[in-house]
Amino acid sequence: MSTLTTVDDATAPQTRVDGSFGGKSSGRAFKDQLARVVMWTAFFVALIPLVWILAATFVKGGRMLLDIDWWTVSQSGITARREGGGAVHAIQGTLIQAGVTALISVPIGVLTAVYLVEYGRGRLAKAVSFMVDILTGIPSIVAGLFIYALWVTTFNFQRVGFAVCLALTMLMIPTVVRSTEEMLKLVPNELREASYALGVPKWKTIMKVVVPTAFSGIVTGILLGLARVMGETAPLIILGPYTPVIATNLFDGLMPTLPTMIYQNYPESLQPSVDRTWGAALTLILIIFILNLLGRFIGRFSKVRS
């Protein structure tokens, strides 16, 4: 009996005073430190181009944003050699197209996610999920060409701002679907079961319990998806070329945006055009940055997290 006790004591793992097991081996400690160094090195390497781009954009485009005319005047009558003018026409066009895109994409995306999470069973749900995955991987230029073939070539309509919204909708819907789907899955099943136990129908449980619980997370995903499509350029070049005047009608004539303003002024080597290019780029970055901050702020108050 004493021999067994001695052997067990010798082979048992030694514990410290604080209750933890013996320290790491030197090999594991080395690997841990190596992984830590590699991770931080990769982080700083990835940070270098980001900081470089942001710094260059602020330095070269910040002067334009400090001019009040940039926010109140369009480029109507401004030539490539002439300084002045602003970007109010492009800002308005970007916000209008983004708003209409969200108006179309959000109901379709949210309802599709609700179907996949709450009702989706069988082949139809698998087909819908598969199509969402396909849309997620479609390049923006392919979406623009598809709408061009359908809108211009097939129906003989003119290139207008609404056609751009249709192309951007194809890019935004899968983002909204996947983000909403993940947030709905985070809602505890106990909430659904408690509602069912009280005799509440399933559709009302979804509307009154599930969706409100995940609402903040859903809004965050919508804002992030909107920020993504606002920076797209290919569909805008194909379906809505740039115009230097204010145009707010989605169904009549061209509509200027910040990406097409950048595309229009970039080839010009004259300094006024270069300044307008950097100013438009910085304006677009600030708008997207504000949307991302708003999404993060709303996400902090998500009921799912609490």
Side-chain angles (χ1 to χ4, degrees), residues 31-166:
K31 292 178 181 179
D32 179 71
Q33 292 298 327
L34 180 62
R36 192 186 303 273
V37 171
V38 171
M39 181 189 68
W40 281 106
T41 303
F43 169 74
F44 284 113
V45 169
L47 200 63
I48 290 173
L50 175 62
V51 174
W52 193 350
I53 292 173
L54 291 177
T57 307
F58 271 94
V59 170
K60 297 182 180 181
R63 182 179 64 85
M64 301 297 294
L65 272 64
L66 296 177
D67 189 354
I68 190 64
D69 288 344
W70 182 259
W71 306 99
T72 57
V73 181
S74 68
Q75 290 291 313
S76 179
I78 305 296
T79 62
R81 296 178 178 274
R82 179 182 170 186
E83 295 185 358
V88 66
H89 61 304
I91 296 173
Q92 288 182 359
T94 298
L95 295 179
I96 291 173
Q97 289 185 1
V100 174
T101 300
L103 194 63
I104 300 173
S105 304
V106 171
I108 297 175
V110 172
L111 291 176
T112 301
V114 170
Y115 166 74
L116 291 175
V117 175
E118 303 295 336
Y119 295 98
R121 301 293 184 273
R123 295 182 179 179
L124 180 59
K126 292 181 180 179
V128 172
S129 182
F130 177 73
M131 294 305 297
V132 172
D133 291 336
I134 294 296
L135 285 175
T136 303
I138 288 181
S140 59
I141 191 171
V142 174
L145 289 174
F146 172 76
I147 297 299
Y148 181 88
L150 186 66
W151 184 267
V152 179
T153 305
T154 304
F155 296 111
N156 293 321
F157 294 150
Q158 298 297 319
R159 293 191 295 176
V160 292
F162 185 72
V164 176
C165 295
L166 294 179

Side-chain angles (χ1 to χ4, degrees), residues 215-265:
F215 180 75
S216 298
I218 294 173
V219 173
T220 301
I222 291 171
L223 292 177
L224 294 179
L226 190 60
R228 183 231 170 183
V229 299
M230 288 178 67
E232 294 291 347
T233 306
L236 280 67
I237 297 174
I238 297 173
L239 298 167
Y242 176 76
T243 178
V245 299
I246 295 177
T248 57
N249 192 339
L250 287 169
F251 299 95
D252 184 19
L254 305 179
M255 179 174 287
T257 58
L258 289 169
T260 52
M261 183 178 178
I262 297 170
Y263 178 80
Q264 181 71 22
N265 285 275

